[in-house]
Amino acid sequence: YGEVNTAAGGNNVGVLANQLASPNSVLIDQQGNIYVSDTDNHRIQKWSTGANEGITVAGGNGSGSAANQLKYPAGIALDESGNLYIADNGNHRIQKFMQGSDISSNGTTVAGTSVSGSAANELNGPWAVLVDDSGDLYISDQLNNRIQKWTTDAASGTTVAGGNGIGVSAIQLDNPSSIVFDESGALYVVDKNNHRIQKFVANSTSTPQASTVAGGLGSGSATNQLNTPIGIVIDKKGSLYISEMGNHRIQKWKNGATQGTNVLGRDGFGETNDKLNNPYGLGLDQAGDLYIADKSNNRIQKLTLAPIIKIAPNASSANISLTIPQTAGIRKSLILTPTSLKGLLADLNPIEILINHPIAPALSFNLSSNEVMPGSSVTMDLNLSQSYLDPISVLFRNYSTLSANDFTFDDK
């Protein structure tokens, strides 16, 4: 995959504005601002686009249960008005902070009682929170092994997944962590201690059985296994990105796949850009790029999910098909210039072709057409100056107003 860089933190553990301490979750708003659940600092930090340090938008007043305090905050969510919802894990509650809040602001408890319990009005170690278009909350009630739905202004929640005790059956969960919805309204639950991802159909309750869509074959590092999964996001194509604490990696499971592919992290933990150390929460920005709460490295990593063409070992060529979908809002042609290895959109924003290899080979390519209109495709033949024993990755980095998801390659 594409480039990796540190988007927040990475300056050792600490309480300074440019530091983080065991970040748990990450969220990117429509403007590209990064919200981080800075767990061991008991605060939520907002890093504006391009900033070198964050500002506190909730908590930051020490560990506690007062209205302006948090205790080991976990998942975070924003509603359409920019209000912030926080799974205040150590206080067994969900706190709401109004848009524009800062370190001096008080939050309002919108779910839970601040005391752990399993009654309908109680939570026990809430891990994640989502808010839908109606303002209803979905809460991963981790230590109660259930997912609760709290409608707006409700005094208690209803169980929509799990809640049948700890277990491995389809209607049971064991320490659920992150949750996410797809476009159909189906709910995906990271069933952490069962090392699997469970999918519940839209508007389900705890009664219907769920289906396992990733893992579920015991803890392990094989491509069809997960090891203590904890974070999850879903892209526009329905592919799941899953963070695994136990394997220190991010796996991509395409829609309907029976195994995953490695996106980032391998061969154990580490602090270089190709490694992770206890990856936790995940986030996607508007361009489809992936953000990772790299917990034990005290940083947020950004992975550019640019389209990639793989050239196999000992091969010196590849053939791909590039398609621009016929969708509303895409009314630009893509003009490719073989000699410069760059494509230009009609507004002159480039798409650059990069070669990911220590010894970059010379690359040439031929096109079936030098212009691609929406709804049509172009065939591209890539030729390297020589072959290598290891595979070559050629990625297309998009500097335009279109996202990587606006281009479809035959290997994706």
Side-chain angles (χ1 to χ4, degrees):
Y1 283 76
E3 297 176 316
V4 181
N5 58 68
T6 299
N11 298 298
N12 299 314
V13 62
V15 300
L16 299 178
N18 69 340
Q19 293 178 309
L20 299 170
S22 298
N24 179 302
S25 298
V26 58
L27 172 69
I28 301 87
D29 67 16
Q30 292 184 351
Q31 289 73 44
N33 300 308
I34 303 170
Y35 291 79
V36 181
S37 183
D38 191 10
T39 302
D40 285 2
N41 283 326
H42 313 287
R43 66 186 183 184
I44 307 301
Q45 294 292 92
K46 176 183 177 181
W47 293 61
S48 299
T49 305
N52 294 319
E53 59 184 34
I55 60 172
T56 302
V57 294
N61 299 294
S63 172
S65 60
N68 68 341
Q69 291 181 306
L70 301 168
K71 186 176 182 180
Y72 300 108
I76 48 180
L78 291 170
D79 65 17
E80 292 183 342
S81 300
N83 301 313
L84 180 66
Y85 296 79
I86 304 164
D88 192 7
N89 182 272
N91 284 320
H92 314 289
R93 66 186 182 183
I94 305 299
Q95 292 293 93
K96 177 181 179 181
F97 286 79
M98 302 301 289
Q99 193 275 336
S101 63
D102 57 29
I103 194 171
S104 66
S105 301
N106 288 332
T108 302
T109 301
V110 293
T113 63
S114 298
V115 177
S116 65
S118 59
N121 68 332
E122 294 176 314
L123 300 169
N124 191 357
W127 187 267
V129 59
L130 296 177
V131 55
D132 66 15
D133 293 340
S134 301
D136 298 333
L137 302 179
Y138 292 80
I139 303 163
S140 180
D141 191 9
Q142 185 182 29
L143 299 181
N144 283 325
N145 304 292
R146 66 188 182 184
I147 309 301
Q148 296 289 91
K149 177 182 178 180
W150 289 61
T151 57
T152 304
D153 297 326
S156 61
T158 58
T159 301
V160 295
N164 299 294
I166 295 177
V168 299
S169 74
I171 61 171
Q172 292 178 306
L173 299 169
D174 188 351
N175 271 245
S177 56
S178 299
I179 52 178
V180 68
F181 285 104
D182 67 14
E183 291 185 352
S184 74
L187 178 67
Y188 295 75
V189 179
V190 178
D191 193 8
K192 184 176 65 174
N193 288 354
N194 282 327
H195 312 287
R196 66 186 182 182
I197 308 300
Q198 296 294 93
K199 178 182 178 180
F200 294 83
V201 298
N203 302 314
S204 72
T205 68
S206 60
T207 302
Q209 290 201 352
S211 58
T212 300
V213 293
L217 298 171
S219 172
S221 60
T223 56
N224 64 348
Q225 291 179 303
L226 300 172
N227 185 352
T228 321
I230 197 160
I232 190 170
V233 289
I234 186 168
D235 68 15
K236 296 177 183 178
K237 297 179 181 179
S239 296
L240 300 175
Y241 293 85
I242 304 164
S243 62
E244 298 177 67
M245 283 176 51
N247 286 324
H248 305 286
R249 69 183 183 184
I250 310 299
Q251 292 284 93
K252 176 183 178 180
W253 288 64
K254 293 183 179 180
N255 190 10
T258 57
Q259 61 184 13
T261 57
N262 194 69
V263 171
L264 183 63
R266 62 179 74 245
D267 303 324
F269 65 88
E271 59 183 22
T272 55
N273 274 352
D274 62 335
K275 290 183 179 292
L276 301 165
N277 192 350
N278 287 321
Y280 264 53
L282 301 176
L284 287 172
D285 65 16
Q286 295 297 302
D289 293 328
L290 183 68
Y291 293 73
I292 304 152
D294 191 9
K295 183 176 186 249
S296 295
N297 282 325
N298 303 295
R299 65 188 182 184
I300 304 300
Q301 295 294 85
K302 177 183 177 181
L303 171 62
T304 302
L305 291 176
I308 290 181
I309 297 91
K310 300 284 188 180
I311 299 179
N314 299 312
S316 61
S317 64
N319 178 274
I320 65 165
S321 176
L322 170 63
T323 302
I324 299 182
Q326 183 72 57
T327 56
I330 302 176
R331 301 185 178 88
K332 301 173 182 176
S333 63
L334 173 66
I335 302 172
L336 298 161
T337 308
T339 55
S340 66
L341 296 186
K342 290 187 177 181
L344 295 178
L345 289 166
D347 60 3
L348 300 183
N349 289 316
I351 295 174
E352 185 175 3
I353 301 173
L354 304 175
I355 302 171
N356 181 20
H357 192 270
I359 306 173
L363 173 68
S364 63
F365 58 94
N366 298 311
L367 304 168
S368 60
S369 172
N370 70 341
E371 185 171 357
V372 191
M373 296 299 293
S376 61
S377 302
V378 63
T379 300
M380 204 181 283
D381 294 309
L382 287 81
N383 295 284
L384 301 177
S385 57
Q386 65 183 90
S387 61
Y388 292 85
L389 293 178
D390 49 345
I392 305 293
S393 296
V394 182
L395 70 89
F396 286 66
R397 184 169 62 187
N398 184 15
Y399 292 100
S400 74
T401 54
L402 302 180
S403 73
N405 288 320
D406 293 321
F407 298 92
T408 303
F409 291 85
D410 60 0
D411 71 322
K412 295 198 74 180

